[in-house]
Amino acid sequence: MNQSLILDLLENNARLTSQDLADILNEDEASIKSEIQSLEKNKIICGYHTVVRQL
């Protein structure tokens, strides 16, 4: 599984669920969840942020 694709997708939309990612990447959800947990554990994913545009 390509971690870079997961990271790119989450960087563009942190609200994607593991099921969304699995559907996009044609993988099973359990594999995606495991990969995300590994990325979080290894501090590659450090958080999920909200960006607000000023009005």
Side-chain angles (χ1 to χ4, degrees):
M1 176 177 316
N2 191 333
Q3 290 181 346
S4 295
L5 289 176
I6 293 173
L7 293 171
D8 286 343
L9 289 166
L10 287 174
E11 186 175 34
N12 288 318
N13 185 355
R15 299 182 95 186
L16 290 171
T17 66
S18 55
Q19 185 60 58
D20 293 335
L21 292 167
D23 291 343
I24 292 167
L25 298 172
N26 199 30
E27 297 281 347
D28 64 290
E29 185 179 8
S31 296
I32 297 293
K33 283 184 177 183
S34 175
E35 200 64 42
I36 290 172
Q37 287 173 345
S38 175
L39 291 165
E40 291 171 342
K41 180 181 175 188
N42 292 317
K43 306 290 188 218
I44 295 170
I45 294 176
C46 300
Y48 301 87
H49 305 283
T50 301
V51 177
V52 178
R53 182 179 59 90
Q54 294 293 331
L55 298 177

